[in-house]
Amino acid sequence: GEELQYKNAVKKDECALITELVGRRLAHPLALLAHKLGLSANTVTIIAGMCWMSSLPLAVYAGSLYGDGRISLGLTIWFCCGFLWNAGYLLDIADGSLARMTGTASRRGFYLDYVFHLLFKPAFLLSIGIGLYLCRGDGTWWLVFAVLSVPANWSASLSAVEHVLCEEYGKGRLTSLAATAVEKR
């Protein structure tokens, strides 16, 4: 069989500089480890999503602790939140790398990954906004930022899906039902 090499893990036409220069290189060993452990790319996606989702309440809790004057514990929890977010980010890169290296990339995996992005991004900004509000107690603008970030992120995410669907339609890979929905846009 073909070796699981880094060149096979790289997403063609990567446009995210930090992801390409740093994230993908850090995530590659995680993809190799997942393969050795017999984990599928979709399982890695679920683990990444669990890391992300578990970081959400930590941001709120950290802000609450910090706002109550328990600064050391609050900062420790903020650090844990950041660690889980970054672990989810690296695993989010590793899942796609693993799928490309093993030839198991699929639409199901793409949509599973996408659902976590759709749920997590606005929820994370909301939890950070609430956490920062709780840190200060008087920073109402943090709540406004957090609440307004939710529709902004969903809008950007939905635009990305529309782009992917149009690309798939153009390549003739969509069913007639999905193609009809794209044609109506």
Side-chain angles (χ1 to χ4, degrees), residues 50-101:
M50 289 170 42
C51 286
W52 278 345
M53 294 306 189
S54 61
S55 73
L56 299 175
L58 290 180
V60 174
Y61 184 54
S64 175
L65 290 169
Y66 194 92
D68 287 343
R70 298 169 68 189
I71 294 171
S72 294
L73 184 56
L75 290 175
T76 300
I77 300 299
W78 275 116
F79 176 81
C80 291
C81 176
F83 176 82
L84 285 169
W85 184 86
N86 283 294
Y89 168 72
L90 290 176
L91 289 168
D92 181 49
I93 297 170
D95 65 357
S97 295
L98 178 60
R100 284 184 291 281
M101 288 187 306

Side-chain angles (χ1 to χ4, degrees), residues 37 47 111 128 144 147 153 155:
L37 294 173
I47 295 169
Y111 286 110
I128 292 291
V144 171
V147 170
N153 272 277
S155 175

Side-chain angles (χ1 to χ4, degrees), residues 19-182:
T19 298
E20 178 56 29
L21 295 177
V22 179
R24 197 160 303 289
R25 296 179 195 295
L26 293 173
H28 183 68
L30 294 174
L32 294 174
L33 176 63
H35 181 68
K36 278 186 180 178
L37 294 173
L39 300 176
S40 70
N42 288 349
T43 301
V44 175
T45 301
I46 291 169
I47 295 169
M50 289 170 42
C51 286
W52 278 345
M53 294 306 189
S54 61
S55 73
L56 299 175
L58 290 180
V60 174
Y61 184 54
S64 175
L65 290 169
Y66 194 92
D68 287 343
R70 298 169 68 189
I71 294 171
S72 294
L73 184 56
L75 290 175
T76 300
I77 300 299
W78 275 116
F79 176 81
C80 291
C81 176
F83 176 82
L84 285 169
W85 184 86
N86 283 294
Y89 168 72
L90 290 176
L91 289 168
D92 181 49
I93 297 170
D95 65 357
S97 295
L98 178 60
R100 284 184 291 281
M101 288 187 306
T102 59
T104 59
S106 68
R107 280 195 184 136
R108 177 177 284 170
F110 169 80
Y111 286 110
L112 179 64
D113 187 71
Y114 175 74
V115 166
F116 276 115
H117 286 255
L118 187 63
L119 295 174
F120 174 71
K121 287 177 182 180
F124 185 69
L125 289 174
L126 184 62
S127 69
I128 292 291
I130 293 169
L132 291 172
Y133 171 77
L134 293 172
C135 277
R136 304 258 320 141
D138 61 354
T140 305
W141 66 276
W142 284 114
L143 283 179
V144 171
F145 160 77
V147 170
L148 291 179
S149 70
V150 173
N153 272 277
W154 280 340
S155 175
S157 295
L158 291 174
S159 293
V161 164
E162 183 176 17
H163 172 77
V164 169
L165 288 174
C166 288
E167 185 177 311
E168 290 290 304
Y169 174 65
K171 293 177 182 176
R173 296 182 186 162
L174 291 179
T175 65
S176 61
L177 178 61
T180 303
V182 171

